[in-house]
Amino acid sequence: MAIVQRKGGVDARRNELRRMMNTLAIVGDLVELQRGQWLSASGCIVRLDGTPTPTYLLISGIPLREFDEGARATVAVDGTRRIIRDVGSVSLFGLPVIEYQNWARTPRTSLQDWTCDTLALPLRRQNDEWADACEMQLYAPQLAALHKPQAHRWTSVDRSSDGRTLARLTMFGDPIYAVVDVARGAVAGRRECAPHDVRRLMYGLDQQHENPTSVTVVDRAGTTSVRLRNALPYAEARGLLALVEDSADARPLVTRHGAAVRAMLDGLGIHVSDGGGAESG
């Protein structure tokens, strides 16, 4: 393996291997078991959106050598991705075919509707665990400069506007997130937020307050380079891991599936700044 040839000690190589295994687990090629064990997933075939011709992504931990020779011949290996471009060959793999949105687990509703529905869910009254407002921070894009990174959009309770928003509080060293209702500088109610919903809600609040985050996109010679300034929600991060050339740790990210990535960014209301000077979003 190439990782064995890289510089660094045993711990560095082990950490790099762990990162790669985690990436494959998020995409769906592997399943992590207990005690450091991993299992190859039988997987599925994902139909990619935003491609000029029907393109399918083979998501599976099964080695290509285990498939029929005719099926293997239709697969183009592109970094960690395995692309099937011949629609008629999809059935040769004997795997279920699903739409990209189902595989990535993106909500069926728009970001605006999803955010409104999430904020409107019933809250519980404030209790002693959350009573110390001095330790709590609220997500407030309405107070941040235009396109400021999400990490710098948090503020104290006494500076936030009234209404429902996202809050974070550290307990026993771990961050806890919740939807809270703020009135006159105090938190009246809260509902803990599922980890996979936190980042999506941040983008939804950005959209509500008309202060989107931004990315830089450059299209050149059939590839698209994307420079992110903020983390993506789980579903979009999963899709990006499957579409980028090498690793999500690289900056910028490079993909041959620019249209699919742009659709993903548009769905989050992100402001796209083109490397050539044009802007959208």
Side-chain angles (χ1 to χ4, degrees):
M1 294 177 62
I3 188 174
V4 177
Q5 302 172 356
R6 296 188 182 183
K7 296 181 179 180
V10 174
D11 288 342
R13 291 197 297 270
R14 182 182 292 113
N15 291 336
E16 177 70 3
L17 179 59
R18 173 74 190 200
R19 183 189 63 76
M20 291 179 176
M21 300 285 275
N22 285 336
T23 297
L24 293 174
I26 292 173
V27 171
D29 290 337
L30 299 178
V31 176
E32 183 177 7
L33 305 178
Q34 295 180 347
R35 294 184 291 184
Q37 296 176 321
W38 300 79
L39 177 69
S40 294
S42 58
C44 61
I45 294 175
V46 179
R47 180 186 172 93
L48 294 178
D49 299 324
T51 55
T53 58
T55 302
Y56 295 84
L57 186 68
L58 174 61
I59 301 292
S60 174
I62 302 174
L64 281 179
R65 65 177 180 272
E66 299 297 328
F67 290 105
D68 178 83
E69 182 178 354
R72 294 199 306 268
T74 68
V75 177
V77 179
D78 182 20
T80 58
R81 290 158 312 288
R82 295 181 290 181
I83 303 295
I84 307 170
R85 300 193 185 279
D86 182 4
V87 179
S89 302
V90 170
S91 61
L92 298 176
F93 293 86
L95 295 174
V97 179
I98 64 176
E99 295 297 318
Y100 174 86
Q101 192 174 37
N102 291 334
W103 169 74
R105 302 172 192 170
T106 55
R108 288 293 180 180
T109 57
S110 67
L111 179 63
Q112 180 180 7
D113 291 341
W114 181 90
T115 301
C116 290
D117 292 343
T118 300
L119 293 176
L121 291 173
L123 307 183
R124 289 184 291 177
R125 294 186 61 183
Q126 177 68 312
N127 58 24
D128 293 339
E129 287 182 327
W130 290 71
D132 189 357
C134 294
E135 297 183 7
M136 185 184 301
Q137 290 184 307
L138 303 183
Y139 191 69
Q142 69 274 25
L143 301 179
L146 187 64
H147 306 323
K148 198 174 186 68
Q150 289 178 330
H152 304 294
R153 297 184 175 209
W154 297 88
T155 189
S156 59
V157 175
D158 57 358
R159 291 192 62 226
S160 181
S161 307
D162 288 355
R164 294 194 178 190
T165 190
L166 179 68
R168 69 179 179 188
L169 180 69
T170 301
M171 286 188 178
F172 308 110
D174 295 321
I176 296 177
Y177 295 88
V179 173
V180 298
D181 192 26
V182 180
R184 299 178 181 178
V187 175
R190 56 101 181 176
R191 185 191 71 256
E192 288 193 26
C193 191
H196 285 180
D197 290 341
V198 171
R199 187 64 64 168
R200 186 172 302 281
L201 187 54
M202 291 168 70
Y203 281 99
L205 289 167
D206 293 341
Q207 187 181 65
Q208 275 196 353
H209 293 288
E210 299 181 351
N211 188 3
T213 57
S214 65
V215 300
T216 300
V217 175
V218 178
D219 293 315
R220 183 180 295 117
T223 64
T224 297
S225 300
V226 181
R227 188 175 295 278
L228 297 172
R229 298 180 178 88
N230 304 276
L232 296 176
Y234 177 83
E236 286 76 11
R238 190 180 199 215
L240 199 64
L241 281 173
L243 297 175
V244 295
E245 292 296 310
D246 180 20
S247 166
D249 290 341
R251 297 293 183 270
L253 306 175
V254 178
T255 177
R256 293 190 182 96
H257 305 283
V261 171
R262 281 180 177 269
M264 181 191 305
L265 300 176
D266 289 342
L268 292 173
I270 295 175
H271 175 90
V272 176
S273 176
D274 189 272
E279 297 183 346
S280 64

